[in-house]
Amino acid sequence: MDARVKPCATKMSKFTAEVVVVGGGPAGLTAAIALAGAGVETIIVAKPSLEDDYRTTALLTGSVKALDTLRVWERCREHAAPLRVMRIVDDTARLLRAPEVHFAASEIGLDAFGYNIENRFLLTALDARARALAALTVVEDEAESVAIGDTEVAVRTKGGGDVSARLTIGAEGRRSLCRAAAGIETDGQRYPQTALTCNLRHGRPHEDTSTEFHTEAGPFTLVPLPGQRSSLVFVIDSAEAPHIAALPDDDLAAEIERRAHSILGKVTVEPGRGVFPLAVETARRFGIGRVALIGEAAHVIPPIGAQGLNLGLRDAATIGELVVAARRDGLDVGADELTNQYDRMRRADVASRTLAVDLLNRSLLSSFLPLQGARGFGLFLMDRISPLRRAVMREGVTPLASQPRLMRGEAL
Ligand SMILES: Cc1cc2nc3c(=O)[nH]c(=O)nc-3n(C[C@H](O)[C@H](O)[C@H](O)COP(=O)(O)OP(=O)(O)OC[C@H]3O[C@@H](n4cnc5c(N)ncnc54)[C@H](O)[C@@H]3O)c2cc1C
């Protein structure tokens, strides 16, 4: 444990650093830790969170390696559950149904595909690490305006603080101030579905297995937590969501047990439910001028297949790597060349994951028989052809399009 815990900076002050990160969610904190850990003077403007986030995140092996390298994982380990097997069950009543498919991490030489952790523990671990780094200043405030100049970026906070830096990393989520300041537009759409989330206790062990039931309304996914607990992401028709979200605990537990075919035995619902309308949104640029966008400021995808924050952490690792390399070479860390390169480096990864999630979701919603057939046939092939199954698993956990240094366990 680091002994030097820095107090937060006071609000009404002037700060200068090489990089300012706006937004203290998991993507922003990871970027700030990566940069400051490599000696880059960094400021993070992080609005203190008012409530606990009971959602969980399935972090794939590359993300876990990155957090381990950044000395964050040591504070997460005891709260995280390994994901050793992933099971997909076609729970539709359709004519063309897919076989049940099991993916085991051991088939590709891994102990686990990744780990599932509650966001509140992940954020606490990131926050503790951030406050222990000498090169990182935490400004506990909200950014009010961002002005992008030729040689620097100026961020003004609501409490009257002024921050200037060569590069700003926009990590403030869906309504990104940095994105708006850079004039970057987004493309996207809403889906007719909503994800309900909650954590459960259950009578039977999960055996480190995540189970995804594919239904006509979307996936119903149970993901292991430590002990006899799991998290649930329950995607349903938005019209049905308010009714199910408002059920008393016992009725909700009975409904969940029914939809899970009692595979985990009797379930009890823990406090802390979430309701998230499904949407996809992608920024037209991830980097331009002195601005780089990471996490949901750059891309929002539905919570299907555990991709969102894994993409966000690869963004953080990539921008960290580019900035540290530029600094080592004595270059301007906010130069156009750097943000353009960042944009190019993140396109394929984000586009391919967004497309895959969209296609899977549409194939469930669609009553178009050939599309249902294609999904079923794809799963059938994966079930029967081991090399194909292994290739899909490898691409799922370590994407060919993006393996920044931190995801390989290498320091910046
Ligand atoms: C139901 C659900 C389940 C999910 N499960 C998974 C999963 O299993 N695996 C996975 O990889 N992903 C998952 N995701 C996606 C993941 O949760 C998101 O990708 C992730 O939370 C985005 O992190 P972020 O840091 O980009 O944004 P956020 O978490 O939105 O953080 C942005 C931060 O910026 C702050 N902020 C906003 N405006 C300002 C401002 N002006 N000044 C300062 N601060 C500001 C906000 O308060 C917030 O703290 C899931 C998402 C949902 C909805």
Side-chain angles (χ1 to χ4, degrees):
M1 170 87 86
D2 263 303
R4 288 168 300 125
V5 177
K6 274 190 317 147
C8 285
T10 52
K11 291 178 183 173
M12 291 189 57
S13 327
K14 284 193 182 306
F15 308 96
T16 306
E18 283 176 89
V19 180
V20 57
V21 179
V22 183
L29 281 165
T30 303
I33 292 167
L35 290 166
V40 179
E41 284 296 329
T42 304
I43 291 167
I44 182 163
V45 180
K47 184 167 105 179
S49 148
L50 298 176
E51 51 193 59
D52 271 343
D53 185 348
Y54 287 94
R55 268 181 307 165
T56 70
T57 300
L59 293 166
L60 300 174
T61 181
S63 299
V64 173
K65 243 185 228 171
L67 293 173
D68 201 22
T69 309
L70 296 173
R71 297 196 43 207
V72 175
W73 193 247
E74 59 204 54
R75 294 177 164 99
C76 295
R77 202 170 274 123
E78 64 174 309
H79 304 292
L83 308 176
R84 300 191 208 280
V85 176
M86 289 167 136
R87 176 160 54 148
I88 298 179
V89 182
D90 188 338
D91 201 21
T92 64
R94 295 212 162 120
L95 190 61
L96 299 177
R97 293 181 63 222
E100 186 172 317
V101 188
H102 286 235
F103 300 96
S106 57
E107 279 191 77
I108 52 169
L110 292 176
D111 180 46
F113 291 117
Y115 287 79
N116 192 34
I117 183 168
E118 288 176 65
N119 288 10
R120 58 199 176 112
F121 292 126
L122 175 62
L123 283 167
T124 302
L126 285 164
D127 191 63
R129 181 67 183 132
R131 285 166 200 270
L133 289 166
L136 183 56
T137 303
V138 181
V139 176
E140 277 191 353
D141 202 352
E142 198 171 340
E144 188 177 59
S145 66
V146 176
I148 304 158
D150 288 342
T151 56
E152 64 172 31
V153 183
V155 177
R156 171 151 269 249
T157 71
K158 283 198 172 156
D162 284 310
V163 180
S164 58
R166 293 203 167 272
L167 173 74
T168 180
I169 297 181
E172 341 76 318
R174 296 169 185 221
R175 281 182 285 281
S176 167
L177 208 60
C178 295
R179 191 176 69 212
I184 300 172
E185 298 197 5
T186 61
D187 295 305
Q189 59 168 312
R190 286 185 170 279
Y191 293 96
Q193 300 149 287
T194 294
L196 302 183
T197 58
C198 62
N199 298 333
L200 312 167
R201 288 191 177 277
H202 37 79
R204 290 194 200 134
H206 47 56
E207 317 267 10
D208 304 333
T209 299
S210 160
T211 305
E212 189 166 308
F213 292 97
H214 284 180
T215 78
E216 285 91 343
F220 173 101
T221 309
L222 293 158
V223 191
L225 282 172
Q228 292 206 175
R229 296 174 65 228
S230 293
S231 58
L232 171 68
V233 179
F234 180 2
V235 177
I236 48 175
D237 190 305
S238 292
E240 209 191 343
H243 165 68
I244 296 189
L247 286 175
D249 282 354
D250 287 350
D251 295 354
L252 180 61
E255 182 65 20
I256 291 169
E257 204 179 313
R258 185 180 71 76
R259 296 200 188 216
H261 303 278
S262 299
I263 57 167
L264 295 174
K266 185 170 170 48
V267 304
T268 316
V269 176
E270 294 185 352
R273 302 181 192 183
V275 177
F276 302 90
L278 260 54
V280 63
E281 191 172 10
T282 311
R284 291 197 182 157
R285 297 276 311 198
F286 299 148
I288 193 167
R290 295 189 171 273
V291 176
L293 303 177
I294 66 170
E296 290 203 338
H299 43 74
V300 176
I301 62 174
I304 296 174
Q307 294 299 326
L309 185 57
N310 285 289
L311 278 174
L313 297 187
R314 294 203 284 278
D315 299 339
T318 304
I319 191 67
E321 192 170 321
L322 290 173
V323 168
V324 171
R327 189 168 166 273
R328 208 172 281 140
D329 296 342
L331 302 173
D332 176 358
V333 300
D336 284 351
E337 292 76 20
L338 187 141
T339 46
N340 285 339
Q341 193 182 352
Y342 171 71
D343 180 64
R344 284 195 302 275
M345 286 173 78
R346 294 305 299 138
R347 282 275 139 209
D349 191 19
V350 173
S352 62
R353 308 279 138 173
T354 307
L355 181 68
V357 168
D358 182 63
L359 279 177
L360 169 63
N361 194 32
R362 280 178 198 284
S363 73
L364 289 172
L365 293 181
S366 174
S367 52
F368 185 52
L369 211 55
L371 192 54
Q372 292 172 20
R375 181 178 60 85
F377 188 56
L379 287 171
F380 169 79
L381 291 179
M382 274 191 267
D383 183 44
R384 295 297 164 94
I385 305 174
S386 302
L388 175 68
R389 190 170 61 246
R390 285 198 291 273
V392 168
M393 284 191 272
R394 274 197 205 95
E395 177 57 24
V397 288
T398 48
L400 282 175
S402 179
Q403 271 304 296
R405 291 175 65 91
L406 284 172
M407 271 61 203
R408 302 192 303 258
E410 295 166 23
L412 296 187

